[in-house]
């Protein structure tokens, strides 16, 4: 039993007793069927075993607790590295459903199975989610769990589940529940990517590259290529949205930038970002009088990735679409107004405000500056058409 369990919410007494109940009775959790687990299996043999009612597990689980699509992308090289030193060269990947990890990793050979788990919510809800995660881990009989974040709750869940080897960063309270020594505390304020670089080094896990090189189903790539085959090159994809409002570029800045950029290319402009941005994209197109523009916000996630695979250039915010563009090797001019610049890929061309990213920084990235950075690259693309 762990030495301490921390809850800071309004109902710590209730949460403590729920967790205590799980610890006392955890040996009774032995079958997969006790809870409903939503899974995506990436191997025919494993799928047959699941249909037959047999528990399927790789022996190694990787837990990624961040919510975003882009988070899955930049974690992927680390997942592959862990898989390379795991039995069968595969792992089971656990992430929140908002990450869309099942769709993103459907063609990823290093991931046998993707399992969604809930991580966010009120303190009481988080306590319940911790219990559910512990049961899930125990039912899959994992021998090793890697926790790719400094959050403490997955480490507590793995301890409650009786997972023998629990590998984590060990920054803060997480160190009480992991079995490795963790990374040096001097990394505490580093970017999470640098945490994971340090963890791979500490665990002697080879990390050949931090490029995601996301695998995309070939049939989808072909279908999207055929669908837009008549569109003039170069293809410029624009990502106007972001998971957090403070990372969005002002609407009027997009209009000004594209009004200036349009005369410098005879290619096609595509807008992506999901259905929530359909109306906004249409408004930007109308106000900037952007001829040769396609509002592609209605594409599915995998279709949007395939479009990015075909694209010659991406311009957008620090967001999921930007990470996806980078993941398929598309040069990406990305606006980092608030968060530190991501450094995991050579395809990221950062655009930052004067003085660097700070709160309110997106308003300080001017359309003129973005045009100045993008136009020379676009001119080179035009010359090759």
């Amino acid at each position: 039993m762990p030495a301490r369990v921390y809850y800071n919410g309004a109902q710590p007494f209730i949460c403590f007793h729920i967790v205590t109940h799980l610890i006392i009775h955890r040996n009774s959790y032995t079958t997969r069927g006790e809870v409903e687990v939503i899974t995506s299996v990436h191997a025919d043999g494993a799928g047959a075993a699941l249909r037959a009612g047999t528990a399927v597990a790789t022996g190694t689980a990787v837990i990624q607790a961040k919510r975003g699509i882009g988070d899955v992308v930049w974690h992927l090289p680390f997942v592959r590295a862990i898989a390379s030193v795991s039995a069968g060269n595969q792992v089971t990947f656990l992430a929140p459903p908002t990450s869309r990890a099942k769709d993103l990793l459907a063609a990823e050979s290093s991931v046998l199975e993707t399992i969604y788990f809930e991580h966010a919510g009120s303190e009481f809800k988080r306590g319940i989610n911790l219990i559910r995660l512990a049961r899930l881990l125990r039912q899959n009989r994992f021998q090793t769990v890697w926790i790719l974040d400094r959050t403490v709750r997955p480490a507590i869940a793995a301890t409650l589940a009786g997972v023998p080897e629990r590998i984590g960063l060990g920054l803060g309270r997480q160190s009480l529940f992991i079995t490795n020594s963790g990374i040096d505390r001097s990394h505490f304020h580093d970017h999470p990517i640098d945490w994971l670089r340090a963890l791979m080094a500490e665990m002697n896990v080879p990390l050949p590259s931090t490029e995601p090189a996301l695998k995309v189903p070939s049939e989808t790539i072909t279908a999207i290529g055929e669908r837009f085959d008549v569109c003039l090159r170069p293809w410029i994809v624009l990502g106007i949205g972001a998971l957090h409002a403070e990372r969005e570029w002002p609407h009027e800045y997009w209009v000004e930038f594209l009004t200036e950029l349009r005369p410098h290319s005879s290619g096609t402009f595509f807008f992506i970002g999901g259905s929530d941005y359909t109306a906004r994209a249409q408004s930007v197109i109308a106000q900037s009088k952007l001829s040769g523009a396609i509002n592609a916000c209605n594409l599915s996630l995998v279709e949007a990735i395939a479009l990015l695979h075909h694209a010659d250039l991406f311009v957008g915010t620090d967001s999921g679409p930007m990470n996806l563009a980078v993941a398929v090797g598309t040069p990406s001019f990305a606006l980092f107004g608030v968060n530190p610049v991501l450094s995991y890929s050579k395809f990221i061309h950062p655009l930052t405000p004067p003085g660097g990213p700070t709160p309110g920084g997106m308003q300080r990235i001017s359309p003129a500056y973005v045009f100045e950075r993008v136009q020379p690259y676009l001119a080179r693309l035009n010359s090759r058409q």
Side-chain angles (χ1 to χ4, degrees), residues 9-226:
Q11 296 162 298
F13 182 80
I14 296 173
C15 289
F16 174 80
H17 279 281
I18 292 173
V19 172
T20 304
H21 174 82
L22 178 63
I23 296 170
I24 294 171
H25 296 284
R26 71 182 188 181
N27 289 332
S28 66
Y29 302 134
T30 57
T31 64
R32 187 181 182 90
E34 288 178 340
V35 294
E36 181 181 355
V37 179
I38 304 173
T39 63
S40 173
V41 180
H42 304 162
D44 291 341
L50 269 180
R51 289 189 291 273
T54 305
V56 175
T58 59
T60 299
V62 176
I63 299 177
Q64 193 278 105
K66 295 185 183 299
R67 298 175 53 236
I69 289 172
D71 297 312
V72 175
V73 169
W74 66 256
H75 277 89
L76 184 52
F78 300 99
V79 174
R80 288 193 186 116
I82 294 167
S84 73
V85 297
S86 302
N89 298 124
Q90 289 185 311
V91 298
T92 297
F93 187 72
L94 286 79
T98 53
S99 71
R100 302 291 298 275
K102 289 184 187 180
D103 296 321
L104 294 172
L105 302 180
E108 177 56 44
S109 60
S110 68
V111 177
L112 172 67
E113 179 180 23
T114 297
I115 301 178
Y116 285 155
F117 75 100
E118 294 289 353
H119 185 66
S122 66
E123 288 298 323
F124 179 75
K125 183 66 173 177
R126 291 181 183 189
I128 298 298
N129 290 337
L130 185 157
I131 292 169
R132 290 172 175 164
L133 178 58
R135 294 182 68 181
L136 188 157
L137 295 173
R138 186 163 184 82
Q139 289 161 3
N140 280 271
R141 304 182 182 90
F142 293 115
Q143 296 301 300
T144 303
V145 165
W146 290 73
I147 302 158
L148 302 188
D149 195 80
R150 69 184 186 191
T151 180
V152 69
R153 280 171 283 132
I156 296 174
T159 302
L160 295 175
V163 178
E165 187 176 29
R166 304 178 299 278
I167 300 171
L169 301 170
L171 296 174
R173 296 175 295 180
Q174 190 191 83
S175 63
L176 298 171
F177 303 96
I178 60 175
T179 55
N180 64 312
S181 59
I183 64 175
D184 192 88
R185 188 172 174 79
S186 63
H187 293 287
F188 192 88
H189 296 292
D190 288 354
H191 190 278
I193 292 174
D194 296 316
W195 292 345
L196 297 184
R197 286 189 177 112
L199 180 61
M200 297 300 107
E202 193 263 336
M203 297 302 297
N204 295 314
V205 173
L207 182 66
S209 171
T210 56
E211 292 288 352
L214 184 67
K215 295 175 175 60
V216 188
S218 58
E219 61 273 16
T220 308
I221 291 176
T222 300
I224 289 297
E226 292 174 348

Side-chain angles (χ1 to χ4, degrees), residues 249 256-265 315 333 351 365-378:
W249 208 31
E256 182 179 341
F257 165 65
L258 292 171
T259 300
E260 181 72 14
L261 191 65
R262 172 73 275 185
H264 295 269
S265 177
V315 181
F333 286 83
L351 306 175
I365 301 177
S366 71
Y369 167 67
V370 178
F371 172 78
E372 179 185 313
R373 289 288 308 278
V374 172
Q375 193 276 330
Y377 187 88
L378 187 56

Side-chain angles (χ1 to χ4, degrees), residues 245-253 256 335-340 351-371 373:
E246 65 270 20
R247 296 189 199 176
E248 293 189 352
W249 208 31
H251 181 91
E252 61 273 18
Y253 284 18
E256 182 179 341
L335 284 71
F336 291 89
V338 179
N339 285 1
L351 306 175
T352 59
T358 56
M362 293 299 284
Q363 285 72 30
R364 294 188 294 109
I365 301 177
S366 71
Y369 167 67
V370 178
F371 172 78
R373 289 288 308 278

